[in-house]
Amino acid sequence: MEMILIFLSLIIQQVFTQYDYTQNGDPAEFSNYMNSANDLYNELFTKRIYHKNLSPVYGKIPANGTRSPVKAMNVDLVLYYFRLLTLDAESQILSASVEIIMSWRDPRLAWNNTIFGEIDRIFLTSDIIWTPDNQIGNSKSMTSVHPDGLAPLTVYSNGTVVYPLIWYAEVGCNINVNRFPFDQQQLYLSILSFAYKTDLMTMTGKTKLDKNRLMGNGEWNIVDIDTASFVNDDADVLAFRVHIKRVPHYYVYVIALPCFILTTLSIIGMFWTPNFKKEQLVKLSIGLTSLVSMTVLLDMLSTSIPKTNVFPLLGIYVVTCVGITSIASIAVVISLNIENYTIDHAKSVVYLGKIFDDTLPTSKKDRRK
Ligand SMILES: *[C@@H]1O[C@H](CO)[C@@H](O)[C@H](O)[C@H]1NC(C)=O
Ligand SMILES: *[C@@H]1O[C@H](CO)[C@@H](O)[C@H](O)[C@H]1NC(C)=O
Ligand SMILES: *[C@@H]1O[C@H](CO)[C@@H](O)[C@H](O)[C@H]1NC(C)=O
């Protein structure tokens, strides 16, 4: 009786799910494929009663995990595309467009392809199957390019699910500006699962990038990206380490070069003139004007570096230039005073000379003029 019912239900299912697509002019090949795919879909999601909220992660793995007949789930990550959009050095945030292809095996989604018309893979959306929660752990915000849950994914007959994740991610990072603007930075995209510890879920990862899918912005060049995996607080962490190098042209041409020119010009203006002792106030104003101009450069500099305890190379350079110009200005002021002093001194000598007539040496008389 039971057998007959099952048989009947199968027949009914066959009759109602088969549709002849050739009536619409499509090839018989497509008609067969679509009907097999339909059967497969019913098999996976209706007959097997697939619950997408139920995780296929095997929860009975003993604490030490060695003797279990079921292996921990492995999530494989491939970094496929990386584009650095901005690196905000002041707030130490990297924003990037990232594509990571994530794959894992869900045994509930495996089928025998000889039964289902040699179909090796089907294409689904991520809202109907379970997906791991692996995410970029150190991100400030992550925006998926696809609307929630509608990312396309591929399921293979051996149960492997391939899920390309395309994110716009903002990631916190430590920036060391010691050698700014000739600096190189190491940024980490650390991916981990928040729900499953390392005995339940492991991660493997690699990068698969070529020059076209690895982009910096104008200021940063990407040197390379490699992977490192480690266990942190019982969770498997997979870190993609992005090694970037700054293109220093902007800072050299816009800050360092003008600073050099200003310093050189002001030093020449202040000291390299034949009438050294004359027009001291004009010379002082040259020095002060360059100092004011340099504060503009300092301001530009300060907006592009984080306010940490290390002082960058370029900062030291600009401050040195400011220092040189300041010392030069001070020297001008002092020489001004010395000259006044000399004149006063000469005057007093003249006054004394009036008293002790003709006791002055001739050289001092000349000096008065
Ligand atoms: C590890 O597993 C083995 C086999 O299941 C068991 O005999 C052993 O006591 C376990 N060790 C610990 C530290 O849990
Ligand atoms: C798949 O199904 C075919 C036909 O029923 C059977 O011969 C084959 O052994 C099955 N393959 C596996 C791996 O079970
Ligand atoms: C499943 O099949 C796909 C496609 O043929 C293959 O790339 C993948 O390695 C297979 N996975 C396993 C666990 O056999």
Side-chain angles (χ1 to χ4, degrees):
M1 187 63 197
E2 218 173 291
M3 286 294 281
I4 293 170
L5 270 180
I6 289 173
F7 189 70
L8 266 180
S9 75
L10 273 178
I11 296 269
I12 288 168
Q13 212 179 349
Q14 286 292 310
V15 168
F16 283 100
T17 54
Q18 298 287 322
Y19 177 78
D20 188 7
Y21 290 89
T22 52
Q23 315 176 30
N24 309 333
D26 289 306
E29 184 76 22
F30 177 76
S31 192
N32 292 340
Y33 167 79
M34 210 60 235
N35 283 315
S36 303
N38 224 8
D39 289 346
L40 178 59
Y41 188 92
N42 285 336
E43 160 79 18
L44 296 180
F45 294 101
T46 314
K47 267 177 77 186
R48 293 190 192 172
I49 318 180
Y50 186 95
H51 289 299
K52 68 165 186 162
N53 295 330
L54 183 64
S55 159
V57 169
Y58 179 66
K60 282 166 68 180
I61 291 178
N64 61 17
T66 46
R67 299 255 166 214
S68 170
V70 183
K71 273 202 271 176
M73 175 181 275
N74 184 55
V75 176
D76 186 54
L77 302 161
V78 178
L79 183 66
Y80 191 72
Y81 177 89
F82 183 89
R83 176 165 196 159
L84 191 152
L85 298 171
T86 55
L87 180 63
D88 184 347
E90 226 197 326
S91 47
Q92 313 213 3
I93 285 180
L94 158 83
S95 58
S97 178
V98 181
E99 179 174 350
I100 291 172
I101 296 178
M102 182 150 86
S103 60
W104 67 94
R105 187 168 178 273
D106 189 341
R108 295 174 296 173
L109 294 175
W111 68 87
N112 180 342
N113 58 7
T114 50
I115 297 176
F116 295 97
E118 300 294 329
I119 293 180
D120 285 326
R121 56 181 179 173
I122 50 171
F123 308 102
L124 302 170
T125 52
S126 59
D127 56 341
I128 59 165
I129 70 162
W130 176 87
T131 53
D133 69 332
N134 300 48
Q135 286 183 358
I136 300 180
N138 56 343
S139 68
K140 172 178 168 260
S141 69
M142 259 166 54
T143 318
S144 175
V145 169
H146 294 285
D148 261 0
L150 287 180
L153 45 77
T154 312
V155 181
Y156 290 91
S157 60
N158 57 14
T160 301
V161 185
V162 176
Y163 182 21
L165 292 161
I166 307 172
W167 284 318
Y168 166 75
E170 290 189 337
V171 182
C173 51
N174 289 335
I175 294 179
N176 181 359
V177 289
N178 232 332
R179 292 180 47 76
F180 172 83
F182 305 103
D183 52 339
Q184 304 194 3
Q185 307 290 343
Q186 308 265 4
L187 313 169
Y188 291 89
L189 299 178
S190 308
I191 297 181
L192 69 152
S193 161
F194 292 105
Y196 306 106
K197 300 295 181 200
T198 183
D199 51 343
L200 298 178
M201 185 187 274
T202 56
M203 268 192 280
T204 52
K206 59 175 183 290
T207 58
K208 193 178 172 188
L209 296 156
D210 62 24
K211 285 270 179 292
N212 299 328
R213 288 185 267 112
L214 184 67
M215 275 183 270
N217 57 6
E219 189 181 349
W220 294 98
N221 281 341
I222 297 175
V223 180
D224 64 8
I225 300 187
D226 54 8
T227 56
S229 69
F230 51 92
V231 175
N232 177 24
D233 200 12
D234 284 349
D236 237 26
V237 180
L238 184 88
F240 291 107
R241 182 171 51 206
V242 185
H243 183 188
I244 58 174
K245 188 168 190 265
R246 196 193 296 267
V247 182
H249 300 339
Y250 171 81
Y251 297 97
V252 169
Y253 295 136
V254 175
I255 297 180
L257 196 63
C259 206
F260 176 75
I261 292 172
L262 274 176
T263 313
T264 317
L265 282 183
S266 62
I267 296 293
I268 292 173
M270 282 192 278
F271 296 108
W272 197 15
T273 42
N275 50 350
F276 178 71
K277 289 267 183 309
K278 284 195 181 136
E279 293 165 358
Q280 296 296 69
L281 282 177
V282 176
K283 287 175 190 169
L284 188 60
S285 79
I286 293 177
L288 294 181
T289 316
S290 348
L291 278 181
V292 171
S293 320
M294 273 183 225
T295 55
V296 176
L297 297 177
L298 264 182
D299 190 46
M300 281 170 71
L301 183 69
S302 68
T303 51
S304 51
I305 54 168
K307 293 174 182 47
T308 51
N309 55 355
V310 291
F311 203 63
L313 213 58
L314 186 62
I316 293 171
Y317 173 77
V318 173
V319 168
T320 309
C321 285
V322 169
I324 291 173
T325 317
S326 311
I327 290 170
S329 305
I330 291 169
V332 169
V333 171
I334 289 174
S335 74
L336 203 69
N337 286 342
I338 287 174
E339 195 174 353
N340 285 344
Y341 172 77
T342 322
I343 289 167
D344 287 348
H345 186 68
K347 274 181 189 159
S348 63
V349 171
V350 170
Y351 179 72
L352 283 175
K354 282 233 169 83
I355 299 173
F356 306 102
D357 193 24
D358 282 337
T359 51
L360 278 168
T362 36
S363 61
K364 287 250 167 133
K365 277 184 193 167
D366 293 341
R367 183 85 177 265
R368 262 185 271 171
K369 286 170 190 168

